[in-house]
């Protein structure tokens, strides 16, 4: 496949975008970029005392390998730096180039279908109730050895969603032509199947 083929997967915190994106990328043999990691890497550098705009402008591949990027503290920091227009601008070109690379790509984030790649061939908006998302994130954090509880995770998820939806620059919202997949009552396999079906439908047209 030589012409660009972009699958944009957006949605709120802990909706399962990562799992679905990896599975879609593997199924259709596309490259995958978790754009949340870029904001997490900038957030992590801010927590270490760096100016977030300078951090975004000087981000290097090694920053994405930082093993602490999945903590709740880094997630909150990511959503704070994500409000800053200069931070978003600094990360734009890399994401756009990745989206249109030959061979095709899956990008997951908050603004892929609306801002980064409005011409994406397929746009999915993956969501679930805040309670279901908090339960999934709690299980993930506990499995990775973090000591936390449901109420803390639910409140973190809601705070981050609110910040992501109300910011002026690239707020979280479904693109007009996005296929919405509500995974509240779907297990992992069913959510993956729904996403693969949506991509197949668009590929065939
Ligand atoms: O994995 P989870 O859904 O919890 O979060 P993430 O995708 O790693 O994103 C972390 C934070 O980065 C989000 O809460 C957003 O504030 C920000 N972000 C963004 O603004 N735009 C993107 N394309 C991706 C992430």
């Amino acid at each position: 496949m030589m012409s660009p083929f972009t699958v944009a997967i957006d949605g709120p915190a802990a909706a399962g975008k990562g799992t679905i994106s990896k599975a879609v990328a593997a199924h259709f043999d596309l490259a995958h970029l978790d754009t949340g990691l870029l904001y997490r890497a900038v957030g992590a550098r801010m927590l270490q005392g760096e100016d977030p705009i300078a951090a975004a402008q000087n981000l290097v591949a090694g920053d994405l390998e930082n093993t602490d990027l999945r903590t709740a503290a880094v997630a909150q920091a990511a959503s704070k730096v994500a409000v800053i227009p200069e931070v978003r601008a600094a990360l734009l070109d890399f994401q756009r180039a990745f989206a249109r690379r030959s061979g095709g790509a899956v990008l997951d984030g908050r603004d892929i279908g609306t801002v980064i790649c409005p011409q994406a061939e397929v746009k999915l908006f993956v969501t679930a109730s805040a309670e279901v998302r908090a339960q999934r994130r709690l299980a993930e954090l506990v499995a990775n050895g973090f000591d936390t509880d449901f109420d803390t995770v639910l409140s973190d998820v809601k705070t981050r969603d609110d910040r992501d939806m109300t910011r002026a620059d690239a707020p979280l919202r479904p693109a007009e032509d996005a296929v919405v997949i509500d995974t509240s009552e779907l297990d992992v396999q069913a959510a993956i199947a729904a996403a693969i079906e949506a991509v197949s439908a668009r590929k065939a047209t």
Side-chain angles (χ1 to χ4, degrees):
M1 192 183 1
M2 289 308 289
S3 54
F5 182 83
T6 312
V7 181
I9 304 187
D10 293 305
K17 302 181 299 292
T19 306
I20 289 175
S21 302
K22 284 192 198 89
V24 167
H27 184 89
F28 294 100
D29 196 21
L30 306 168
H32 171 228
L33 178 65
D34 170 359
T35 65
L37 269 190
L38 304 173
Y39 293 90
R40 285 174 182 262
V42 174
R45 282 175 65 162
M46 180 182 73
L47 291 176
Q48 286 165 1
E50 209 175 321
D51 171 61
I53 298 173
Q57 288 167 346
N58 298 307
L59 211 62
V60 292
D63 287 318
L64 305 183
E65 282 148 33
N66 176 344
T67 49
D68 292 334
L69 295 182
R70 295 287 170 200
T71 66
V74 169
Q76 289 297 334
S79 75
K80 288 180 187 165
V81 303
V83 171
I84 307 169
E86 292 87 348
V87 166
R88 306 199 71 84
L91 303 176
L92 198 70
D93 288 348
F94 173 73
Q95 295 176 83
R96 285 205 172 136
F98 194 98
R100 296 319 259 173
R101 63 196 275 150
S102 67
V106 180
L107 287 83
D108 72 285
R110 302 291 185 285
D111 62 340
I112 309 305
T114 52
V115 174
I116 300 298
C117 194
Q119 73 272 47
E121 282 69 21
V122 186
K123 298 177 191 174
L124 306 181
F125 193 84
V126 178
T127 187
S129 72
E131 287 72 18
V132 166
R133 292 186 285 117
Q135 193 57 55
R136 288 180 189 156
R137 181 52 48 91
L138 174 66
E140 196 181 339
L141 288 169
V142 169
N144 285 307
F146 293 104
D147 179 23
T148 184
D149 60 72
F150 180 76
D151 290 343
T152 305
V153 176
L154 179 62
S155 138
D156 276 359
V157 158
K158 286 183 171 172
T159 304
R160 209 142 55 84
D161 285 352
D162 187 55
R163 210 181 276 130
D164 289 346
M165 291 187 298
T166 58
R167 68 183 174 222
D169 193 12
L172 167 66
R173 59 176 177 78
E176 271 175 29
D177 50 350
V179 176
V180 177
I181 300 178
D182 187 331
T183 70
S184 301
E185 307 205 339
L186 300 182
D187 63 18
V188 175
Q189 285 318 315
I192 289 172
I196 288 176
E197 193 187 306
V199 177
S200 297
R202 296 285 169 109
K203 272 192 113 185
T205 59

